[in-house]
Amino acid sequence: MFDKFKEECGLMALWNVPEAANLAYLGLYAQQHRGQEGAGVVSLDRESGKFCVHRGLGLVNEVFANYDFSQLVGRAAIGHVRYTTAGGNQLTNVQPFFSEVSTGNVAIAHNGNLVNAEALKKNLIAEGSIFHTTSDTEVILHLIAQGKNKTARRELIFNAIKEIKGAYSLVILFDDSLFLIRDPNGFRPLSIAKLGEGYVAASETCAFDLIGADFLRDVEVGEVVEIDRDGKMTSHFPFGKTKQSPCIFEYVYFARPDSQVYGKNVYGRRKAMGRKLAQEHPVEADVVIAVPDSGVPAAMGYAEESKIPFELGLIRNHYIGRTFIEPQQAIRDFGVKIKLNSNRDCLEGKKVIVVDDSIVRGTTSRKLVKMLRDAGAKEVHLRISAPPTTDPCYYGIDTPEKSQLIASHNDIEQIRQYLDVDSLGYLSQAGLYESVEAEEGTFCDACFSGNYPIKPA
């Protein structure tokens, strides 16, 4: 198991688009990196008002293997790829959720995590609500369901989201409208594109590229975008003016490098982190290598700035899948070696700079360092393209408890000794903000600073 933060979730939504479910599948496939535990699509035939659902555990191609997409009819659909944040990894928690409520049928998918979900759930149960999942997304669905049948759909949503706190990008599908929502802090990304006469929304713009949709804009922080039956798009801001705090780790690790996130290209930002890292922590060496895949752009930036050659010193196996069989008498460090292997020709007798995006517990980094030394590296200098991770995330990223984060209770020298590297350098917080071309404090950086925009429950 890699010692990394676990991805979040990925969303897709389509309105007035032919073969909407098929395209939702493709969009989820492009965002598979955001969640590998479950996937689902809910489609809508707007003429009949019929909703169709297919969900399952596993990767997108596994969930939809040999599936007959003619069963997912209609020109509207929403989709979701899931990594477990709130709730366990079981089929009942796989989104999108679909329900019949007093105001009609509704389907919902959510990226993020609510910090007040448990308190809301207790109140809802006390009022007679029955829950079928352990996901915090069902809390939102119940809040919507409380509305009366004469209440406008947008008012149902406004009332619901004003009760929840935390991180949420939402896509909500009714029989006559589609809603796209970002929370008033804007923790999670959500973008809109045009496809023919219809609209598409996704967590990342790489999904638009795959299906040929033209990017329009991001859903703004605290915005509710309503697309009605006639295709008219209306913007609402039920929270008024809010202080945005989008997750900076989208740039560091989560997003695909070819995506545009918060208006900027991820690949360019990661290369800038690497260049700044080389300025802050230079060292004499023979070669720069990356921990693939997320460390590659930063390593390229480091190599360009330092004028030290970039080489593929670690090779990743991309064909493992989610599980593999381990021998009973397991080879030491087997879990790392099956995913990464050292390239001895690039390493033997060399002073090596290895660039990664983060250190969480430090266990995997330690094993990787040993792998490099076993391959003959003369020196190993570890460079991290983000500040030390000192605090857990409560907004939809699966992180260990604070006590398990190596940087929460060790200084740089202690971490260096534990990892057995010749030198260790982290990108400064000021350097990170400079790399993403933003002023300090304009993102959520709680995992580095401990400054939480919304107090955890």
Side-chain angles (χ1 to χ4, degrees):
M1 181 77 64
F2 268 10
D3 182 19
K4 289 286 188 184
F5 287 142
K6 299 300 189 296
E7 290 80 1
E8 306 154 301
C9 297
L11 303 176
M12 277 296 291
L14 303 101
W15 185 261
N16 193 28
V17 174
E19 298 184 276
N22 301 60
L23 296 180
Y25 163 82
L26 291 172
L28 295 179
Y29 198 88
Q31 299 177 95
Q32 183 71 87
H33 58 286
R34 297 189 71 88
Q36 296 91 46
E37 294 188 353
V41 170
V42 173
S43 70
L44 165 66
D45 180 7
R46 293 170 58 199
E47 293 184 4
S48 65
K50 179 183 179 182
F51 284 78
C52 304
V53 183
H54 182 70
R55 302 178 300 153
L57 294 171
L59 302 173
V60 175
N61 65 334
E62 295 171 337
V63 172
F64 289 91
N66 303 315
Y67 183 74
D68 180 5
F69 274 88
S70 66
Q71 298 181 56
L72 291 173
V73 297
R75 296 171 63 92
I78 64 172
H80 188 267
V81 287
R82 182 172 194 269
Y83 180 81
T84 303
T85 52
N89 183 30
Q90 48 192 298
L91 182 59
T92 54
N93 287 330
V94 176
Q95 300 180 40
F97 292 157
F98 169 73
S99 184
E100 297 180 24
V101 298
S102 62
T103 54
N105 295 327
V106 59
I108 183 172
H110 169 211
N111 173 24
N113 196 54
L114 305 183
V115 299
N116 66 335
E118 285 303 314
L120 289 172
K121 184 175 181 178
K122 288 180 181 178
N123 291 337
L124 287 164
I125 291 173
E127 294 171 2
S129 294
I130 299 173
F131 281 77
H132 301 282
T133 78
T134 57
S135 170
D136 59 351
T137 309
E138 192 180 5
V139 171
I140 307 172
L141 190 59
H142 278 281
L143 291 172
I144 293 171
Q146 285 185 330
K148 305 303 180 184
N149 57 13
K150 293 183 180 180
T151 307
R153 301 284 168 74
R154 74 176 69 91
E155 295 300 327
L156 291 175
I157 289 174
F158 292 171
N159 293 339
I161 62 178
K162 286 178 179 178
E163 291 194 48
I164 60 179
K165 294 180 180 179
Y168 55 90
S169 284
L170 300 168
V171 293
I172 303 176
L173 181 63
F174 291 98
D175 55 12
D176 61 354
S177 52
L178 172 68
F179 289 85
L180 316 170
I181 305 164
R182 280 181 76 196
D183 68 65
N185 291 90
F187 285 109
R188 303 281 157 246
L190 188 62
S191 300
I192 309 171
K194 198 82 170 68
L195 184 59
E197 298 300 314
Y199 291 97
V200 182
S203 294
E204 289 191 35
T205 60
C206 60
F208 303 150
D209 298 334
L210 180 59
I211 64 175
D214 297 319
F215 173 77
L216 291 177
R217 66 178 180 87
D218 289 341
V219 177
E220 295 184 37
V221 173
E223 183 181 16
V224 176
V225 176
E226 177 183 4
I227 305 174
D228 67 17
R229 65 170 66 249
D230 299 319
K232 180 183 177 182
M233 188 164 63
T234 308
S235 180
H236 310 279
F237 290 90
F239 300 101
K241 188 176 181 180
T242 61
K243 184 182 184 301
Q244 67 175 28
S245 51
C247 175
I248 202 166
F249 228 87
E250 291 283 351
Y251 284 137
V252 175
Y253 173 65
F254 291 121
R256 245 175 60 166
D258 52 331
S259 287
Q260 299 285 124
V261 174
Y262 314 137
K264 296 184 177 72
N265 175 257
V266 174
Y267 175 76
R269 304 287 70 72
R270 288 181 186 164
K271 283 194 73 176
M273 292 173 202
R275 288 193 292 269
K276 189 63 179 177
L277 187 59
Q279 294 169 14
E280 293 184 349
H281 298 285
V283 64
E284 290 187 10
D286 302 308
V287 63
V288 177
I289 70 170
V291 178
D293 289 321
S294 55
V296 171
M300 294 173 66
Y302 193 105
E304 289 179 5
E305 182 68 24
S306 64
K307 311 301 182 187
I308 299 172
F310 171 77
E311 297 286 354
L312 296 179
L314 289 168
I315 307 300
R316 181 177 176 183
N317 183 348
H318 288 268
Y319 305 100
I320 306 164
R322 292 171 298 118
T323 58
F324 53 88
I325 298 171
E326 296 190 32
Q328 291 297 314
Q329 298 296 322
I331 302 170
R332 184 178 176 86
D333 303 338
F334 184 84
V336 174
K337 288 183 177 181
I338 200 167
K339 295 183 179 182
L340 289 177
N341 192 40
S342 57
N343 186 358
R344 180 176 288 272
D345 283 354
C346 295
L347 303 169
E348 192 167 17
K350 304 283 182 66
K351 298 177 181 178
V352 179
I353 299 169
V354 55
V355 180
D356 202 356
D357 53 74
S358 59
I359 303 174
V360 183
R361 295 180 177 89
T363 51
T364 296
S365 297
R366 182 182 170 102
K367 292 173 184 178
L368 286 175
V369 171
K370 183 180 184 301
M371 184 188 298
L372 297 175
R373 294 200 185 278
D374 289 345
K378 185 178 179 180
E379 295 178 6
V380 178
H381 302 274
L382 182 58
R383 297 294 180 266
I384 305 300
S385 60
T389 302
T390 56
D391 293 86
C393 176
Y394 299 100
Y395 309 129
I397 300 169
D398 184 31
T399 57
E401 295 178 359
K402 185 178 177 72
S403 62
Q404 296 179 318
L405 297 169
I406 191 170
S408 71
H409 54 278
N410 291 282
D411 61 25
I412 303 299
E413 175 58 20
Q414 289 170 322
I415 299 172
R416 185 198 69 76
Q417 291 179 16
Y418 173 77
L419 299 180
D420 188 30
V421 290
D422 294 277
S423 71
L424 171 63
Y426 287 88
L427 183 62
S428 68
Q429 193 157 309
L432 177 59
Y433 273 95
E434 181 181 325
S435 301
V436 302
E437 301 174 334
E439 295 183 8
E440 289 194 53
T442 54
F443 284 87
C444 177
D445 55 23
C447 50
F448 310 132
S449 67
N451 297 322
Y452 292 98
I454 299 175
K455 185 178 180 180

